[in-house]
Amino acid sequence: MNPIKFLLIVTASSLLIPVAYPQEPAIETVVQTGHYAAVRCVAISPDGTLAATGSDDKTIKLWEVERGREIRSYLGNKGSVEVLAFSPDGKLLASVDGSYNLSLWEVETSKKIRTLEVPEDDILSVAFSPDGKFLVTGTENNHAIAWDLATGVEIRRFNPEITDIPMEMRFKYPTAKSVEFSPDGKKLLTGSNDYTGFIFDFNTGKQIKKFKFDKSSCSTCA
């Protein structure tokens, strides 16, 4: 309750009548400090009005693009924030931090609504499907995994053909350092640590094509 100033008025009958005047509320000042460590990753909302930055200071900051104003922080990350991605409707923000698990945040409230984990594996990259129904994570050991966004349930894995991967790499699938959907959502492109890009049919998980690194074509390779 705001403090009240009272004015005492003396009437002809000597009655003291308190008259209440509301006091002006105090002005609240918000200090926008930004990050205090290196920014590792960035993302911009689909409508271009918001920007998100992830930092070594274990925070995600949301900014108003037009004015450059810091709006809110997303706290509770374990280690530096390495990956950020907005959902197609701009309502959700996906992040991967030093725990190599994925967090889903409600953009408007900065509330964490879900965490996705892959047992004995690390999540390294993320992409939303164009229709906003699915999420794909690129991982260290299992390549790529698709999730139902509404339920957080795993629905499919994308396993590349490994017949031409060197023997020392065959104990696991190559790491998916990056993942990306085609505009129609029918194909998934992944980039791996064995110098290869893979295209999969998203609905079946079947590998369609492989873009294999050719060492003979690299003029700067040892």
Side-chain angles (χ1 to χ4, degrees), residues 147-210:
W147 310 79
D148 183 287
L149 192 57
T151 63
V153 174
E154 178 185 325
I155 60 171
R156 188 174 300 111
R157 295 199 176 196
F158 301 86
N159 302 321
E161 297 173 6
I162 59 174
T163 53
D164 57 350
I165 295 177
M167 288 298 295
E168 63 269 21
M169 293 294 294
R170 289 188 182 180
F171 66 92
K172 62 181 181 179
Y173 292 111
T175 294
K177 294 283 190 178
S178 54
V179 290
E180 186 61 77
F181 278 91
S182 61
D184 61 8
K186 295 181 178 180
K187 296 181 179 65
L188 179 71
L189 175 64
T190 65
S192 81
N193 61 336
D194 72 330
Y195 319 113
T196 305
F198 300 94
I199 291 185
F200 298 90
D201 183 300
F202 178 72
N203 291 321
T204 65
K206 181 180 179 181
Q207 180 180 311
I208 299 173
K209 191 171 294 184
K210 178 186 295 186

Side-chain angles (χ1 to χ4, degrees), residues 9-78:
I9 301 177
V10 180
T11 67
S13 58
S14 300
L15 294 176
L16 299 180
I17 304 174
V19 180
Y21 290 90
Q23 187 174 3
E24 290 297 325
I27 298 175
E28 183 180 358
T29 302
V30 178
V31 179
Q32 300 181 25
T33 59
H35 293 290
Y36 63 82
V39 173
R40 289 271 185 174
C41 52
V42 296
I44 194 162
S45 63
D47 63 4
T49 62
L50 300 173
T53 54
S55 172
D56 279 343
D57 63 13
K58 302 182 183 181
T59 70
I60 300 166
K61 301 284 187 180
L62 190 69
W63 308 81
E64 188 181 57
V65 170
E66 185 174 351
R67 297 174 60 186
R69 183 172 65 94
E70 180 183 330
I71 300 174
R72 62 181 57 90
S73 295
Y74 301 75
L75 307 176
N77 300 288
K78 298 179 181 179

